Amino acid sequence: MKEGLRERTRRAVRAELAKVAIDLFARQGFDETTVEDIARAAGMTKRSFFRYFPTKEDVVFDGIDLTGESVVADIAARPADEGPWECLHQVLQTWQEEIHASEQALATIRLIEATPALAGRLHQRRTEWRRRVSDALQDRPGTDLDPYTADLLTNAATAVLDAVSSQWARSDGNADRPALLDQGFNQVHVDPSPRQV
Protein backbone atom coordinates (compact mmCIF):
# COMPACT_ATOMS: atom_id res chain seq x y z
CA MET A 1 0.00 0.00 0.00
CA LYS A 2 1.31 3.40 -0.94
CA GLU A 3 2.07 5.83 1.85
CA GLY A 4 -0.29 8.82 1.80
CA LEU A 5 0.76 12.46 1.61
CA ARG A 6 -0.25 13.08 5.23
CA GLU A 7 1.95 10.24 6.51
CA ARG A 8 4.89 11.33 4.33
CA THR A 9 4.54 14.88 5.66
CA ARG A 10 4.37 13.59 9.23
CA ARG A 11 7.53 11.53 8.74
CA ALA A 12 9.32 14.54 7.23
CA VAL A 13 8.38 16.75 10.19
CA ARG A 14 9.48 14.03 12.64
CA ALA A 15 12.81 13.69 10.83
CA GLU A 16 13.35 17.47 10.93
CA LEU A 17 12.47 17.60 14.64
CA ALA A 18 14.92 14.76 15.32
CA LYS A 19 17.69 16.61 13.47
CA VAL A 20 17.03 19.84 15.39
CA ALA A 21 16.93 17.95 18.70
CA ILE A 22 20.14 15.99 18.09
CA ASP A 23 21.94 19.24 17.17
CA LEU A 24 20.74 20.88 20.37
CA PHE A 25 21.61 17.84 22.51
CA ALA A 26 25.12 17.79 21.02
CA ARG A 27 25.65 21.50 21.79
CA GLN A 28 23.84 21.89 25.11
CA GLY A 29 23.66 18.38 26.53
CA PHE A 30 20.64 16.08 26.67
CA ASP A 31 19.55 16.87 30.22
CA GLU A 32 20.04 20.61 29.72
CA THR A 33 17.85 20.76 26.60
CA THR A 34 14.10 21.08 27.15
CA VAL A 35 11.18 20.24 24.90
CA GLU A 36 10.55 24.00 24.75
CA ASP A 37 14.09 24.51 23.41
CA ILE A 38 13.53 21.92 20.67
CA ALA A 39 10.11 23.27 19.71
CA ARG A 40 11.39 26.88 19.58
CA ALA A 41 14.40 25.89 17.43
CA ALA A 42 12.06 24.00 15.08
CA GLY A 43 9.66 26.95 14.85
CA MET A 44 6.72 25.29 16.56
CA THR A 45 4.94 25.25 19.90
CA LYS A 46 5.56 22.77 22.70
CA ARG A 47 2.05 21.44 22.11
CA SER A 48 2.85 20.82 18.43
CA PHE A 49 6.01 18.94 19.45
CA PHE A 50 3.92 16.49 21.47
CA ARG A 51 1.81 15.72 18.40
CA TYR A 52 4.92 14.07 16.95
CA PHE A 53 6.78 12.69 19.99
CA PRO A 54 5.54 11.78 23.48
CA THR A 55 8.91 12.65 25.10
CA LYS A 56 12.25 14.18 24.15
CA GLU A 57 13.84 10.71 24.54
CA ASP A 58 11.64 9.43 21.72
CA VAL A 59 13.13 12.04 19.36
CA VAL A 60 16.54 10.37 19.68
CA PHE A 61 15.21 6.96 18.65
CA ASP A 62 13.01 8.03 15.73
CA GLY A 63 15.35 6.80 12.96
CA ILE A 64 16.29 3.68 14.89
CA ASP A 65 12.64 2.68 15.34
CA LEU A 66 11.82 3.17 11.66
CA THR A 67 14.81 1.10 10.64
CA GLY A 68 13.82 -1.65 13.08
CA GLU A 69 10.39 -1.94 11.45
CA SER A 70 11.99 -2.13 8.00
CA VAL A 71 14.49 -4.80 9.07
CA VAL A 72 11.67 -7.02 10.33
CA ALA A 73 9.73 -6.55 7.07
CA ASP A 74 12.81 -7.29 4.96
CA ILE A 75 13.56 -10.51 6.87
CA ALA A 76 10.07 -11.75 6.02
CA ALA A 77 10.66 -10.93 2.33
CA ARG A 78 13.99 -12.79 1.92
CA PRO A 79 14.14 -15.99 -0.21
CA ALA A 80 12.82 -19.04 1.62
CA ASP A 81 15.90 -21.13 0.74
CA GLU A 82 18.32 -18.62 2.32
CA GLY A 83 19.75 -19.69 5.66
CA PRO A 84 18.77 -17.58 8.69
CA TRP A 85 22.31 -16.34 9.42
CA GLU A 86 22.81 -15.29 5.80
CA CYS A 87 19.36 -13.68 5.84
CA LEU A 88 20.33 -11.56 8.87
CA HIS A 89 23.65 -10.67 7.25
CA GLN A 90 22.09 -9.49 3.99
CA VAL A 91 19.26 -7.51 5.61
CA LEU A 92 21.48 -5.82 8.19
CA GLN A 93 24.11 -5.02 5.57
CA THR A 94 21.48 -3.13 3.56
CA TRP A 95 20.07 -1.21 6.51
CA GLN A 96 23.26 -0.38 8.39
CA GLU A 97 24.51 1.49 5.32
CA GLU A 98 21.36 3.63 5.26
CA ILE A 99 21.08 4.39 8.96
CA HIS A 100 24.74 5.31 9.38
CA ALA A 101 25.12 7.34 6.22
CA SER A 102 24.99 10.71 7.95
CA GLU A 103 26.76 12.79 10.55
CA GLN A 104 23.54 12.78 12.54
CA ALA A 105 23.89 9.02 13.04
CA LEU A 106 27.36 9.49 14.55
CA ALA A 107 26.08 12.27 16.82
CA THR A 108 23.16 10.07 17.90
CA ILE A 109 25.41 7.12 18.78
CA ARG A 110 27.72 9.35 20.80
CA LEU A 111 24.77 10.99 22.56
CA ILE A 112 23.26 7.63 23.54
CA GLU A 113 26.61 6.28 24.79
CA ALA A 114 27.18 9.43 26.90
CA THR A 115 23.67 9.61 28.42
CA PRO A 116 22.74 6.85 30.90
CA ALA A 117 18.98 7.43 30.54
CA LEU A 118 19.24 7.02 26.76
CA ALA A 119 21.48 3.97 27.02
CA GLY A 120 18.84 2.37 29.27
CA ARG A 121 16.07 3.26 26.82
CA LEU A 122 18.13 1.84 23.94
CA HIS A 123 18.49 -1.42 25.86
CA GLN A 124 14.69 -1.65 26.25
CA ARG A 125 14.08 -0.92 22.59
CA ARG A 126 16.70 -3.42 21.46
CA THR A 127 15.12 -6.11 23.63
CA GLU A 128 11.81 -5.55 21.84
CA TRP A 129 13.54 -5.35 18.45
CA ARG A 130 15.41 -8.63 19.07
CA ARG A 131 12.12 -10.35 19.97
CA ARG A 132 10.51 -9.12 16.74
CA VAL A 133 13.51 -10.16 14.61
CA SER A 134 13.58 -13.58 16.26
CA ASP A 135 9.86 -14.03 15.54
CA ALA A 136 10.38 -12.89 11.93
CA LEU A 137 13.16 -15.47 11.45
CA GLN A 138 10.90 -18.23 12.75
CA ASP A 139 7.94 -17.10 10.62
CA ARG A 140 9.80 -17.19 7.29
CA PRO A 141 8.19 -19.61 4.80
CA GLY A 142 9.82 -23.03 4.76
CA THR A 143 11.79 -22.35 7.95
CA ASP A 144 11.93 -24.86 10.76
CA LEU A 145 13.74 -22.74 13.34
CA ASP A 146 13.15 -23.27 17.03
CA PRO A 147 12.82 -20.24 19.37
CA TYR A 148 16.17 -20.88 21.09
CA THR A 149 18.13 -20.93 17.80
CA ALA A 150 16.26 -17.88 16.47
CA ASP A 151 17.10 -15.98 19.68
CA LEU A 152 20.74 -17.11 19.52
CA LEU A 153 21.14 -15.97 15.90
CA THR A 154 19.43 -12.64 16.58
CA ASN A 155 21.57 -11.93 19.65
CA ALA A 156 24.77 -12.87 17.79
CA ALA A 157 23.83 -10.52 14.92
CA THR A 158 23.09 -7.73 17.41
CA ALA A 159 26.51 -8.25 19.01
CA VAL A 160 28.14 -7.86 15.59
CA LEU A 161 26.15 -4.65 14.96
CA ASP A 162 27.14 -3.25 18.36
CA ALA A 163 30.83 -3.94 17.71
CA VAL A 164 30.61 -2.32 14.26
CA SER A 165 28.88 0.77 15.70
CA SER A 166 31.48 1.14 18.46
CA GLN A 167 34.37 0.86 16.00
CA TRP A 168 32.67 3.31 13.64
CA ALA A 169 32.19 5.84 16.46
CA ARG A 170 35.83 5.40 17.59
CA SER A 171 36.97 6.17 14.05
CA ASP A 172 34.89 9.40 13.93
CA GLY A 173 32.71 7.83 11.25
CA ASN A 174 35.63 6.91 8.97
CA ALA A 175 35.64 3.13 9.40
CA ASP A 176 34.28 1.02 6.52
CA ARG A 177 31.03 -0.19 8.07
CA PRO A 178 30.10 -2.70 5.34
CA ALA A 179 33.55 -4.32 5.57
CA LEU A 180 33.35 -4.42 9.38
CA LEU A 181 29.90 -6.01 9.23
CA ASP A 182 31.09 -8.66 6.75
CA GLN A 183 34.13 -9.34 8.93
CA GLY A 184 31.95 -9.67 12.02
CA PHE A 185 29.46 -12.03 10.41
CA ASN A 186 32.32 -14.19 9.09
CA GLN A 187 34.14 -14.24 12.44
CA VAL A 188 30.98 -15.07 14.38
CA HIS A 189 29.89 -17.76 11.94
CA VAL A 190 26.83 -19.50 13.35
CA ASP A 191 25.64 -22.96 12.32
CA PRO A 192 21.87 -22.91 12.91
CA SER A 193 21.42 -26.68 12.51
CA PRO A 194 19.67 -28.16 15.56
CA ARG A 195 21.74 -29.80 18.29
CA GLN A 196 20.72 -32.41 20.81
CA VAL A 197 21.12 -31.13 24.37
mmCIF file of all heavy atoms in Angstrom, residues 86-123:
data_model
loop_
_atom_site.group_PDB
_atom_site.id
_atom_site.type_symbol
_atom_site.label_atom_id
_atom_site.label_comp_id
_atom_site.label_asym_id
_atom_site.label_seq_id
_atom_site.Cartn_x
_atom_site.Cartn_y
_atom_site.Cartn_z
ATOM 1 N N GLU A 86 22.573 -16.053 7.027
ATOM 2 C CA GLU A 86 22.811 -15.286 5.800
ATOM 3 C C GLU A 86 21.706 -14.252 5.603
ATOM 4 O O GLU A 86 21.959 -13.124 5.154
ATOM 5 C CB GLU A 86 22.906 -16.220 4.591
ATOM 6 C CG GLU A 86 23.215 -15.523 3.278
ATOM 7 C CD GLU A 86 24.549 -14.772 3.269
ATOM 8 O OE1 GLU A 86 25.445 -15.066 4.098
ATOM 9 O OE2 GLU A 86 24.695 -13.869 2.430
ATOM 10 N N CYS A 87 20.484 -14.611 5.930
ATOM 11 C CA CYS A 87 19.364 -13.678 5.841
ATOM 12 C C CYS A 87 19.628 -12.451 6.716
ATOM 13 O O CYS A 87 19.503 -11.310 6.256
ATOM 14 C CB CYS A 87 18.073 -14.379 6.288
ATOM 15 S SG CYS A 87 16.665 -13.278 6.538
ATOM 16 N N LEU A 88 20.015 -12.674 7.966
ATOM 17 C CA LEU A 88 20.333 -11.556 8.867
ATOM 18 C C LEU A 88 21.472 -10.709 8.308
ATOM 19 O O LEU A 88 21.412 -9.480 8.332
ATOM 20 C CB LEU A 88 20.708 -12.089 10.249
ATOM 21 C CG LEU A 88 19.551 -12.573 11.122
ATOM 22 C CD1 LEU A 88 20.093 -13.325 12.334
ATOM 23 C CD2 LEU A 88 18.665 -11.421 11.555
ATOM 24 N N HIS A 89 22.492 -11.372 7.801
ATOM 25 C CA HIS A 89 23.651 -10.667 7.255
ATOM 26 C C HIS A 89 23.232 -9.739 6.115
ATOM 27 O O HIS A 89 23.584 -8.557 6.092
ATOM 28 C CB HIS A 89 24.679 -11.700 6.775
ATOM 29 C CG HIS A 89 25.964 -11.100 6.304
ATOM 30 N ND1 HIS A 89 26.985 -11.873 5.819
ATOM 31 C CD2 HIS A 89 26.410 -9.821 6.205
ATOM 32 C CE1 HIS A 89 28.000 -11.086 5.463
ATOM 33 N NE2 HIS A 89 27.660 -9.834 5.686
ATOM 34 N N GLN A 90 22.475 -10.274 5.165
ATOM 35 C CA GLN A 90 22.089 -9.491 3.990
ATOM 36 C C GLN A 90 21.177 -8.315 4.367
ATOM 37 O O GLN A 90 21.367 -7.192 3.887
ATOM 38 C CB GLN A 90 21.393 -10.385 2.957
ATOM 39 C CG GLN A 90 22.298 -11.437 2.345
ATOM 40 C CD GLN A 90 23.553 -10.833 1.734
ATOM 41 O OE1 GLN A 90 23.503 -9.816 1.044
ATOM 42 N NE2 GLN A 90 24.702 -11.447 1.990
ATOM 43 N N VAL A 91 20.203 -8.572 5.224
ATOM 44 C CA VAL A 91 19.265 -7.512 5.613
ATOM 45 C C VAL A 91 19.978 -6.421 6.407
ATOM 46 O O VAL A 91 19.819 -5.224 6.140
ATOM 47 C CB VAL A 91 18.080 -8.095 6.420
ATOM 48 C CG1 VAL A 91 17.240 -6.979 7.035
ATOM 49 C CG2 VAL A 91 17.216 -8.973 5.524
ATOM 50 N N LEU A 92 20.793 -6.813 7.371
ATOM 51 C CA LEU A 92 21.483 -5.816 8.194
ATOM 52 C C LEU A 92 22.535 -5.057 7.393
ATOM 53 O O LEU A 92 22.777 -3.879 7.649
ATOM 54 C CB LEU A 92 22.097 -6.479 9.427
ATOM 55 C CG LEU A 92 21.059 -7.040 10.412
ATOM 56 C CD1 LEU A 92 21.750 -7.737 11.576
ATOM 57 C CD2 LEU A 92 20.125 -5.951 10.919
ATOM 58 N N GLN A 93 23.145 -5.719 6.421
ATOM 59 C CA GLN A 93 24.109 -5.018 5.566
ATOM 60 C C GLN A 93 23.414 -3.886 4.805
ATOM 61 O O GLN A 93 23.920 -2.768 4.721
ATOM 62 C CB GLN A 93 24.750 -6.006 4.581
ATOM 63 C CG GLN A 93 25.835 -5.429 3.709
ATOM 64 C CD GLN A 93 27.065 -5.004 4.486
ATOM 65 O OE1 GLN A 93 27.122 -3.887 4.982
ATOM 66 N NE2 GLN A 93 28.040 -5.879 4.603
ATOM 67 N N THR A 94 22.235 -4.154 4.287
ATOM 68 C CA THR A 94 21.478 -3.133 3.559
ATOM 69 C C THR A 94 21.109 -1.972 4.474
ATOM 70 O O THR A 94 21.325 -0.807 4.131
ATOM 71 C CB THR A 94 20.185 -3.746 2.976
ATOM 72 O OG1 THR A 94 20.546 -4.775 2.061
ATOM 73 C CG2 THR A 94 19.355 -2.690 2.269
ATOM 74 N N TRP A 95 20.589 -2.273 5.647
ATOM 75 C CA TRP A 95 20.071 -1.212 6.515
ATOM 76 C C TRP A 95 21.136 -0.461 7.276
ATOM 77 O O TRP A 95 20.991 0.729 7.541
ATOM 78 C CB TRP A 95 19.004 -1.773 7.448
ATOM 79 C CG TRP A 95 17.731 -1.911 6.683
ATOM 80 C CD1 TRP A 95 17.188 -3.050 6.171
ATOM 81 C CD2 TRP A 95 16.875 -0.854 6.260
ATOM 82 N NE1 TRP A 95 16.051 -2.768 5.461
ATOM 83 C CE2 TRP A 95 15.831 -1.427 5.506
ATOM 84 C CE3 TRP A 95 16.889 0.528 6.445
ATOM 85 C CZ2 TRP A 95 14.806 -0.669 4.945
ATOM 86 C CZ3 TRP A 95 15.868 1.288 5.889
ATOM 87 C CH2 TRP A 95 14.844 0.693 5.153
ATOM 88 N N GLN A 96 22.226 -1.113 7.649
ATOM 89 C CA GLN A 96 23.257 -0.376 8.386
ATOM 90 C C GLN A 96 23.877 0.706 7.513
ATOM 91 O O GLN A 96 24.259 1.758 7.993
ATOM 92 C CB GLN A 96 24.321 -1.313 8.974
ATOM 93 C CG GLN A 96 25.220 -1.997 7.976
ATOM 94 C CD GLN A 96 26.383 -1.144 7.517
ATOM 95 O OE1 GLN A 96 26.841 -0.261 8.237
ATOM 96 N NE2 GLN A 96 26.858 -1.394 6.317
ATOM 97 N N GLU A 97 23.963 0.476 6.217
ATOM 98 C CA GLU A 97 24.508 1.494 5.320
ATOM 99 C C GLU A 97 23.609 2.720 5.302
ATOM 100 O O GLU A 97 24.079 3.850 5.292
ATOM 101 C CB GLU A 97 24.652 0.927 3.901
ATOM 102 C CG GLU A 97 25.767 -0.089 3.763
ATOM 103 C CD GLU A 97 25.807 -0.730 2.384
ATOM 104 O OE1 GLU A 97 25.370 -0.080 1.416
ATOM 105 O OE2 GLU A 97 26.266 -1.877 2.289
ATOM 106 N N GLU A 98 22.296 2.503 5.317
ATOM 107 C CA GLU A 98 21.364 3.629 5.256
ATOM 108 C C GLU A 98 21.328 4.403 6.571
ATOM 109 O O GLU A 98 21.388 5.622 6.586
ATOM 110 C CB GLU A 98 19.961 3.125 4.932
ATOM 111 C CG GLU A 98 18.951 4.248 4.889
ATOM 112 C CD GLU A 98 17.700 3.867 4.136
ATOM 113 O OE1 GLU A 98 17.801 3.198 3.099
ATOM 114 O OE2 GLU A 98 16.625 4.242 4.595
ATOM 115 N N ILE A 99 21.246 3.692 7.687
ATOM 116 C CA ILE A 99 21.083 4.390 8.961
ATOM 117 C C ILE A 99 22.348 5.122 9.392
ATOM 118 O O ILE A 99 22.289 6.108 10.105
ATOM 119 C CB ILE A 99 20.618 3.422 10.069
ATOM 120 C CG1 ILE A 99 20.099 4.232 11.268
ATOM 121 C CG2 ILE A 99 21.723 2.497 10.526
ATOM 122 C CD1 ILE A 99 19.436 3.413 12.324
ATOM 123 N N HIS A 100 23.503 4.671 8.944
ATOM 124 C CA HIS A 100 24.736 5.313 9.380
ATOM 125 C C HIS A 100 25.394 6.136 8.270
ATOM 126 O O HIS A 100 26.583 6.356 8.284
ATOM 127 C CB HIS A 100 25.711 4.263 9.915
ATOM 128 C CG HIS A 100 25.222 3.642 11.174
ATOM 129 N ND1 HIS A 100 24.621 2.413 11.198
ATOM 130 C CD2 HIS A 100 25.214 4.101 12.447
ATOM 131 C CE1 HIS A 100 24.273 2.141 12.443
ATOM 132 N NE2 HIS A 100 24.608 3.129 13.208
ATOM 133 N N ALA A 101 24.581 6.610 7.355
ATOM 134 C CA ALA A 101 25.125 7.345 6.215
ATOM 135 C C ALA A 101 25.271 8.839 6.491
ATOM 136 O O ALA A 101 25.669 9.579 5.623
ATOM 137 C CB ALA A 101 24.242 7.132 4.991
ATOM 138 N N SER A 102 24.956 9.278 7.703
ATOM 139 C CA SER A 102 24.988 10.713 7.954
ATOM 140 C C SER A 102 25.758 11.044 9.224
ATOM 141 O O SER A 102 25.985 10.191 10.072
ATOM 142 C CB SER A 102 23.555 11.236 8.094
ATOM 143 O OG SER A 102 22.987 10.740 9.280
ATOM 144 N N GLU A 103 26.117 12.315 9.327
ATOM 145 C CA GLU A 103 26.762 12.791 10.546
ATOM 146 C C GLU A 103 25.811 12.704 11.725
ATOM 147 O O GLU A 103 26.228 12.522 12.856
ATOM 148 C CB GLU A 103 27.210 14.251 10.362
ATOM 149 C CG GLU A 103 28.499 14.405 9.595
ATOM 150 C CD GLU A 103 28.965 15.855 9.572
ATOM 151 O OE1 GLU A 103 28.637 16.601 10.508
ATOM 152 O OE2 GLU A 103 29.654 16.219 8.613
ATOM 153 N N GLN A 104 24.518 12.854 11.456
ATOM 154 C CA GLN A 104 23.542 12.783 12.542
ATOM 155 C C GLN A 104 23.587 11.423 13.218
ATOM 156 O O GLN A 104 23.428 11.325 14.434
ATOM 157 C CB GLN A 104 22.134 13.065 12.021
ATOM 158 C CG GLN A 104 21.096 13.096 13.141
ATOM 159 C CD GLN A 104 19.718 13.451 12.637
ATOM 160 O OE1 GLN A 104 19.555 14.130 11.643
ATOM 161 N NE2 GLN A 104 18.705 12.977 13.332
ATOM 162 N N ALA A 105 23.816 10.348 12.448
ATOM 163 C CA ALA A 105 23.892 9.016 13.041
ATOM 164 C C ALA A 105 25.051 8.930 14.019
ATOM 165 O O ALA A 105 24.915 8.361 15.109
ATOM 166 C CB ALA A 105 24.045 7.967 11.945
ATOM 167 N N LEU A 106 26.201 9.498 13.664
ATOM 168 C CA LEU A 106 27.362 9.491 14.551
ATOM 169 C C LEU A 106 27.063 10.289 15.819
ATOM 170 O O LEU A 106 27.355 9.838 16.931
ATOM 171 C CB LEU A 106 28.576 10.072 13.824
ATOM 172 C CG LEU A 106 29.905 10.047 14.582
ATOM 173 C CD1 LEU A 106 30.291 8.635 14.977
ATOM 174 C CD2 LEU A 106 31.000 10.677 13.721
ATOM 175 N N ALA A 107 26.434 11.448 15.664
ATOM 176 C CA ALA A 107 26.079 12.271 16.823
ATOM 177 C C ALA A 107 25.086 11.540 17.725
ATOM 178 O O ALA A 107 25.183 11.604 18.960
ATOM 179 C CB ALA A 107 25.487 13.600 16.367
ATOM 180 N N THR A 108 24.156 10.809 17.121
ATOM 181 C CA THR A 108 23.162 10.067 17.899
ATOM 182 C C THR A 108 23.818 8.953 18.697
ATOM 183 O O THR A 108 23.522 8.771 19.887
ATOM 184 C CB THR A 108 22.066 9.498 16.971
ATOM 185 O OG1 THR A 108 21.459 10.574 16.256
ATOM 186 C CG2 THR A 108 21.012 8.751 17.761
ATOM 187 N N ILE A 109 24.714 8.195 18.071
ATOM 188 C CA ILE A 109 25.406 7.115 18.776
ATOM 189 C C ILE A 109 26.200 7.670 19.952
ATOM 190 O O ILE A 109 26.147 7.143 21.070
ATOM 191 C CB ILE A 109 26.327 6.330 17.812
ATOM 192 C CG1 ILE A 109 25.481 5.498 16.843
ATOM 193 C CG2 ILE A 109 27.289 5.423 18.588
ATOM 194 C CD1 ILE A 109 26.275 4.858 15.737
ATOM 195 N N ARG A 110 26.922 8.752 19.731
ATOM 196 C CA ARG A 110 27.717 9.346 20.803
ATOM 197 C C ARG A 110 26.824 9.864 21.928
ATOM 198 O O ARG A 110 27.147 9.721 23.104
ATOM 199 C CB ARG A 110 28.585 10.469 20.244
ATOM 200 C CG ARG A 110 29.740 9.946 19.431
ATOM 201 C CD ARG A 110 30.599 11.055 18.907
ATOM 202 N NE ARG A 110 31.826 10.531 18.338
ATOM 203 C CZ ARG A 110 32.546 11.163 17.446
ATOM 204 N NH1 ARG A 110 32.173 12.358 17.017
ATOM 205 N NH2 ARG A 110 33.643 10.626 16.969
ATOM 206 N N LEU A 111 25.707 10.473 21.559
ATOM 207 C CA LEU A 111 24.772 10.992 22.556
ATOM 208 C C LEU A 111 24.230 9.855 23.424
ATOM 209 O O LEU A 111 24.194 9.966 24.655
ATOM 210 C CB LEU A 111 23.619 11.718 21.851
ATOM 211 C CG LEU A 111 22.488 12.220 22.743
ATOM 212 C CD1 LEU A 111 22.991 13.343 23.650
ATOM 213 C CD2 LEU A 111 21.320 12.693 21.892
ATOM 214 N N ILE A 112 23.815 8.764 22.802
ATOM 215 C CA ILE A 112 23.261 7.629 23.543
ATOM 216 C C ILE A 112 24.313 7.033 24.475
ATOM 217 O O ILE A 112 24.039 6.757 25.648
ATOM 218 C CB ILE A 112 22.711 6.559 22.576
ATOM 219 C CG1 ILE A 112 21.459 7.096 21.869
ATOM 220 C CG2 ILE A 112 22.387 5.269 23.318
ATOM 221 C CD1 ILE A 112 20.982 6.242 20.712
ATOM 222 N N GLU A 113 25.541 6.865 23.968
ATOM 223 C CA GLU A 113 26.607 6.281 24.788
ATOM 224 C C GLU A 113 26.955 7.169 25.982
ATOM 225 O O GLU A 113 27.354 6.675 27.027
ATOM 226 C CB GLU A 113 27.847 6.034 23.937
ATOM 227 C CG GLU A 113 27.695 4.880 22.961
ATOM 228 C CD GLU A 113 28.905 4.679 22.063
ATOM 229 O OE1 GLU A 113 29.786 5.562 22.031
ATOM 230 O OE2 GLU A 113 28.968 3.629 21.392
ATOM 231 N N ALA A 114 26.794 8.494 25.841
ATOM 232 C CA ALA A 114 27.178 9.433 26.901
ATOM 233 C C ALA A 114 26.039 9.761 27.870
ATOM 234 O O ALA A 114 26.263 10.448 28.867
ATOM 235 C CB ALA A 114 27.692 10.734 26.282
ATOM 236 N N THR A 115 24.831 9.267 27.591
ATOM 237 C CA THR A 115 23.670 9.609 28.420
ATOM 238 C C THR A 115 23.058 8.342 28.996
ATOM 239 O O THR A 115 22.405 7.577 28.278
ATOM 240 C CB THR A 115 22.616 10.358 27.561
ATOM 241 O OG1 THR A 115 23.251 11.413 26.832
ATOM 242 C CG2 THR A 115 21.506 10.926 28.426
ATOM 243 N N PRO A 116 23.247 8.095 30.302
ATOM 244 C CA PRO A 116 22.741 6.851 30.903
ATOM 245 C C PRO A 116 21.254 6.594 30.664
ATOM 246 O O PRO A 116 20.860 5.459 30.387
ATOM 247 C CB PRO A 116 23.038 7.046 32.404
ATOM 248 C CG PRO A 116 24.220 7.970 32.429
ATOM 249 C CD PRO A 116 24.027 8.898 31.259
ATOM 250 N N ALA A 117 20.429 7.633 30.745
ATOM 251 C CA ALA A 117 18.984 7.434 30.540
ATOM 252 C C ALA A 117 18.700 6.934 29.128
ATOM 253 O O ALA A 117 17.835 6.075 28.921
ATOM 254 C CB ALA A 117 18.229 8.736 30.798
ATOM 255 N N LEU A 118 19.440 7.454 28.138
ATOM 256 C CA LEU A 118 19.237 7.025 26.758
ATOM 257 C C LEU A 118 19.786 5.623 26.528
ATOM 258 O O LEU A 118 19.199 4.834 25.790
ATOM 259 C CB LEU A 118 19.889 8.012 25.793
ATOM 260 C CG LEU A 118 19.263 9.410 25.749
ATOM 261 C CD1 LEU A 118 20.057 10.306 24.806
ATOM 262 C CD2 LEU A 118 17.806 9.344 25.330
ATOM 263 N N ALA A 119 20.914 5.315 27.159
ATOM 264 C CA ALA A 119 21.482 3.965 27.024
ATOM 265 C C ALA A 119 20.497 2.926 27.571
ATOM 266 O O ALA A 119 20.307 1.861 26.988
ATOM 267 C CB ALA A 119 22.822 3.886 27.756
ATOM 268 N N GLY A 120 19.843 3.270 28.695
ATOM 269 C CA GLY A 120 18.840 2.367 29.269
ATOM 270 C C GLY A 120 17.645 2.208 28.344
ATOM 271 O O GLY A 120 17.128 1.103 28.155
ATOM 272 N N ARG A 121 17.203 3.313 27.748
ATOM 273 C CA ARG A 121 16.073 3.256 26.820
ATOM 274 C C ARG A 121 16.442 2.456 25.572
ATOM 275 O O ARG A 121 15.639 1.694 25.052
ATOM 276 C CB ARG A 121 15.664 4.681 26.433
ATOM 277 C CG ARG A 121 14.462 4.798 25.525
ATOM 278 C CD ARG A 121 13.164 4.421 26.209
ATOM 279 N NE ARG A 121 12.792 5.409 27.190
ATOM 280 C CZ ARG A 121 11.996 6.445 26.943
ATOM 281 N NH1 ARG A 121 11.499 6.624 25.727
ATOM 282 N NH2 ARG A 121 11.666 7.281 27.900
ATOM 283 N N LEU A 122 17.685 2.614 25.100
ATOM 284 C CA LEU A 122 18.131 1.845 23.939
ATOM 285 C C LEU A 122 18.101 0.349 24.252
ATOM 286 O O LEU A 122 17.683 -0.457 23.426
ATOM 287 C CB LEU A 122 19.546 2.267 23.523
ATOM 288 C CG LEU A 122 20.127 1.511 22.329
ATOM 289 C CD1 LEU A 122 19.316 1.763 21.066
ATOM 290 C CD2 LEU A 122 21.584 1.909 22.105
ATOM 291 N N HIS A 123 18.513 -0.014 25.456
ATOM 292 C CA HIS A 123 18.490 -1.423 25.856
ATOM 293 C C HIS A 123 17.061 -1.977 25.795
ATOM 294 O O HIS A 123 16.838 -3.074 25.278
ATOM 295 C CB HIS A 123 19.071 -1.575 27.262
ATOM 296 C CG HIS A 123 19.023 -2.977 27.774
ATOM 297 N ND1 HIS A 123 19.845 -3.970 27.289
ATOM 298 C CD2 HIS A 123 18.217 -3.563 28.694
ATOM 299 C CE1 HIS A 123 19.556 -5.112 27.899
ATOM 300 N NE2 HIS A 123 18.582 -4.885 28.753
#
